[in-house]
Amino acid sequence: MAEPQTSSTPLQEPVMSTTVQVATQETMRVAVAASAGADLVFEQRAKPALVAGRVMVKVVAAGLNPLDGKIRMAQAAHARQPLPSTIGMDMSGVVVDVAPDVKGFKIGDEVFGMVGGVGGNPGTLAEYIAADARLLATKPSALNWHEAAALPLIFITAWEGLVDRAKVKAGDKVLVHGGAGGVGHVAIQIAKSFGAEVWATGTSAQRGVIERLGAVAIDYEAESVEEYVNRATAGEGFDVVYDTVGGKTIDAAFAAIRTYTGHVVTSLGWGTHSLAPLSFRGATYSGVFTLLPLLTGKGREHHGEILRAAAALADEGKLRPLLSPHPFDLSQANSAFAQMAAPSNIGKVVVGLHG
């Protein structure tokens, strides 16, 4: 499942893509998690082989997720990524070669996707990756390389919950728990793009970012579930509640959902919870496990479809990820992970590899 990520920075102004020269070489530099908790080490390895169904991508930027940090610490058994391993799931880059059976991509295409780093697949903190073409989409022209690399996991997770599971629609009242986090801030933007009315929980310090995203901020530390349900819905409950926090927040989601027609979604449903509050409302529940296509091979085409929707929203001006203002290159990957884990971190951390 996707991991939560905190953020409290405003939306950035759009930065247009720069031209990346396509070049070929026989070896590449990679970052390797050699053992649990150890610093990443940097190695020179042979470029991966291009096999059927794959495109070779020159990685321009790799987005980091809290799950990558857990994998590095050997604390994410569900990701099935034993160490030592290259690391990283998300990336943006340029296609430099295409297997003969692949249609829809050509050399020079700019792409992005969640393409590795779990299930024993090579990670994206590498100068090149042989990516399954089904997992890729054309990079939105309105986003720069770092913004595109920040999106795949969090957008797919948010979309699967709101669109695939909850069928969000215009006029719905949507509550996002953790609205300033990685998945949460994208979920707000997706729900808004469908015409929903959106509320989002956060701390008082996160009010600004939640409001700039177009949602009504709820300070969960100062207001009870009953109070904000009454304020936002006159006590009727929300049509959709998307939990991106987990733990006791799932119980809060069950208490905030609308009777009969409401739907609760969580991307962190790992605990044990009483279903009574949900059942007494006649409401429904779904869990999202974004890694399944990478772990099983099933449903990979849908990930590509979802990212094409992300690109369309970005190019329409309806989607932009929040980025950490701190730049990192591959040699600084250890510092990038430290930045992501810092309580003061704001926005998604991205590592540049080419450009």
Side-chain angles (χ1 to χ4, degrees):
M1 295 190 182
E3 299 292 326
Q5 189 171 17
T6 58
S7 171
S8 57
T9 187
L11 290 172
Q12 292 87 2
E13 292 298 317
V15 180
M16 301 308 293
S17 299
T18 56
T19 300
V20 174
Q21 297 297 318
V22 176
T24 59
Q25 62 186 60
E26 297 305 316
T27 63
M28 64 176 184
R29 198 169 185 225
V30 301
V32 178
S35 60
D39 281 351
L40 298 174
V41 296
F42 305 96
E43 299 179 1
Q44 201 74 20
R45 292 187 175 181
K47 284 173 57 177
L50 183 64
V51 298
R54 305 271 168 159
V55 298
M56 187 71 67
V57 180
K58 181 178 182 178
V59 179
V60 177
L64 299 186
N65 294 285
L67 179 56
D68 298 313
K70 290 184 179 293
I71 291 170
R72 178 186 173 193
M73 299 296 292
Q75 295 175 349
H78 65 284
R80 304 179 199 169
Q81 190 75 355
L83 304 181
S85 173
T86 53
I87 201 163
M89 293 177 283
D90 290 343
M91 65 91 223
S92 63
V94 180
V95 175
V96 296
D97 203 359
V98 181
D101 65 322
V102 170
K103 308 299 180 185
F105 293 105
K106 64 183 185 303
I107 292 172
D109 282 349
E110 299 179 355
V111 297
F112 71 129
M114 184 178 81
V115 297
V118 299
N121 295 293
T124 56
L125 284 175
E127 291 181 314
Y128 293 86
I129 191 162
D132 187 329
R134 296 173 294 175
L135 298 169
L136 295 173
T138 300
K139 184 184 80 66
S141 59
L143 302 186
N144 65 32
W145 294 106
H146 281 59
E147 289 169 327
L151 271 178
L153 181 142
I154 58 175
F155 187 90
I156 292 168
T157 303
W159 183 277
E160 286 187 341
L162 285 173
V163 182
D164 292 349
R165 308 291 197 279
K167 310 296 183 185
V168 67
K169 62 185 182 301
D172 279 350
K173 292 191 173 187
V174 174
L175 172 63
V176 177
H177 282 303
V183 175
H185 87 277
V186 168
I188 290 172
Q189 295 177 76
I190 293 172
K192 293 285 292 183
S193 77
F194 276 80
E197 301 174 36
V198 186
W199 285 257
T201 62
T203 64
S204 59
Q206 295 168 336
R207 174 177 295 274
V209 65
I210 288 171
E211 291 178 344
R212 281 188 289 274
L213 290 163
V216 178
I218 296 170
D219 183 349
Y220 70 90
E221 295 174 320
E223 195 172 12
S224 71
V225 176
E226 183 180 9
E227 287 171 338
Y228 65 67
V229 169
N230 285 334
R231 176 166 65 91
T233 72
E236 293 296 319
F238 294 90
D239 298 293
V240 178
V241 180
Y242 197 153
D243 161 56
T244 72
V245 180
K248 63 182 181 181
T249 305
I250 297 178
D251 299 311
F254 290 168
I257 199 65
R258 181 181 292 274
T259 301
Y260 292 128
T261 59
H263 192 85
V264 173
V265 183
T266 183
S267 57
L268 286 170
W270 296 351
T272 300
H273 302 266
S274 171
L275 293 177
L278 188 73
S279 298
F280 290 151
R281 286 170 172 79
T284 54
Y285 166 86
S286 293
V288 174
F289 187 34
T290 315
L291 305 185
L292 271 177
L294 279 171
L295 297 177
T296 68
K298 298 178 181 179
R300 292 188 174 189
E301 294 89 350
H302 189 47
H303 274 199
E305 293 169 353
I306 293 172
L307 291 179
R308 288 192 287 276
L313 287 180
D315 285 338
E316 292 168 6
K318 297 177 180 179
L319 173 69
R320 175 152 280 106
L322 305 175
L323 296 188
S324 168
H326 303 284
F328 298 96
D329 61 29
L330 184 58
S331 66
Q332 300 168 317
N334 286 301
S335 296
F337 273 95
Q339 175 64 37
M340 181 175 64
S344 60
N345 180 61
I346 50 175
K348 290 270 296 183
V349 174
V350 179
V351 174
L353 288 97
H354 288 109

